[in-house]
Amino acid sequence: MAVLEKYAFKNEEIGFNKDEIYYNRFFSKKIQWESLNNVVLKDGILTLDFTSNKVLQFETDELDDGEDDEVTEEEFNAFCQLCLQKNE
């Protein structure tokens, strides 16, 4: 039970790179850009729209405004659109 509890309270992490999306919750999963129609971050909500008509949404953590390496929603969405276009 202690092992399951550790994973149950673990924060979800989603990592993005030009090759894939890495989703880490209870089980790790890699999502290929080819399997997505669209990825959008708007008002702290991340939406993954799959070609299979499946949609996943996640609420993102608010980062401190003082962080210099913070990426804006516009920059993130532009990166995702570039990755999606490259894999069409």
Side-chain angles (χ1 to χ4, degrees):
M1 288 299 286
V3 172
L4 292 175
E5 183 178 350
K6 174 186 171 186
Y7 288 107
F9 291 108
K10 185 177 180 181
N11 288 336
E12 293 177 349
E13 293 180 0
I14 303 174
F16 291 81
N17 66 39
K18 61 181 174 136
D19 299 320
E20 62 194 6
I21 300 170
Y22 180 77
Y23 173 56
N24 187 15
R25 188 172 182 191
F26 193 68
F27 294 105
S28 299
K29 183 176 182 179
K30 292 181 181 179
I31 302 169
Q32 301 300 317
W33 286 104
E34 298 88 29
S35 66
L36 295 166
N37 283 327
N38 201 7
V39 177
V40 176
L41 178 61
K42 174 116 171 103
D43 298 329
I45 303 292
L46 175 65
T47 304
L48 304 176
D49 178 18
F50 290 84
T51 57
S52 63
N53 292 331
K54 178 180 172 183
V55 175
L56 292 178
Q57 289 189 318
F58 305 94
E59 189 173 354
T60 60
D61 289 339
E62 295 295 327
L63 297 175
D64 295 334
D65 291 333
E67 291 190 25
D68 293 335
D69 61 348
E70 184 176 340
V71 175
T72 66
E73 287 184 358
E74 292 82 15
E75 292 170 332
F76 176 79
N77 289 332
F79 168 76
C80 290
Q81 289 303 313
L82 187 69
C83 291
L84 288 166
Q85 289 172 359
K86 185 172 65 170
N87 289 303
E88 287 182 344

